[in-house]
Amino acid sequence: MNAESPAELVVYRRPGCPYCARLRNTLNRHGIVHREVNIWEEPEAAAFVRSVADGNETVPTVVLRDGATERHWVNPAPKELIATVRADTPALTGGKRRFLTF
């Protein structure tokens, strides 16, 4: 990773996780651009999550990359994560806003 790398928000998740669904819905509702990675389909992703979650596969685990910096959170509060993204990486806030339809 170098200073010219574009900002990226990566959400590590697994199917059936209610916390992952809540975070996904909140990010989509606020138009936060992100990429999701299923840790059950990608062993390297599961290994990364274990490396930052004290050996556990706790999801959602989120990584925010911006240039040469990288931060991660394990099961972050959605409102706090959105506030951080808006303040530190506004380039990720211009996505299409998607709302649940029932």
Side-chain angles (χ1 to χ4, degrees), residues 3 5 9 11 15 19 26 33 37 41 49 52 55 58 69-70 83 88 90 93 98-99:
S5 296
L9 185 70
V11 178
Y19 304 104
T26 302
V33 177
V37 179
E41 292 178 353
V49 169
V52 298
T58 306
T69 63
E70 179 175 298
D88 298 349
T93 62
R98 293 172 281 187
F99 299 89

Side-chain angles (χ1 to χ4, degrees), residues 31-89:
I32 304 296
V33 177
H34 65 284
R35 179 171 61 95
E36 296 184 14
V37 179
N38 181 342
I39 67 167
W40 284 358
E41 292 178 353
E42 298 189 31
E44 307 83 30
F48 171 76
V49 169
R50 287 190 303 272
S51 76
V52 298
D54 297 324
N56 300 303
E57 290 187 358
T58 306
V59 289
T61 294
V62 179
V63 176
L64 179 61
R65 295 182 181 106
D66 184 23
T69 63
E70 179 175 298
R71 291 177 282 172
H72 65 270
W73 297 266
V74 176
N75 197 12
K79 288 182 181 181
E80 291 175 15
L81 180 61
I82 287 173
T84 299
V85 170
R86 284 183 174 158
D88 298 349
T89 52

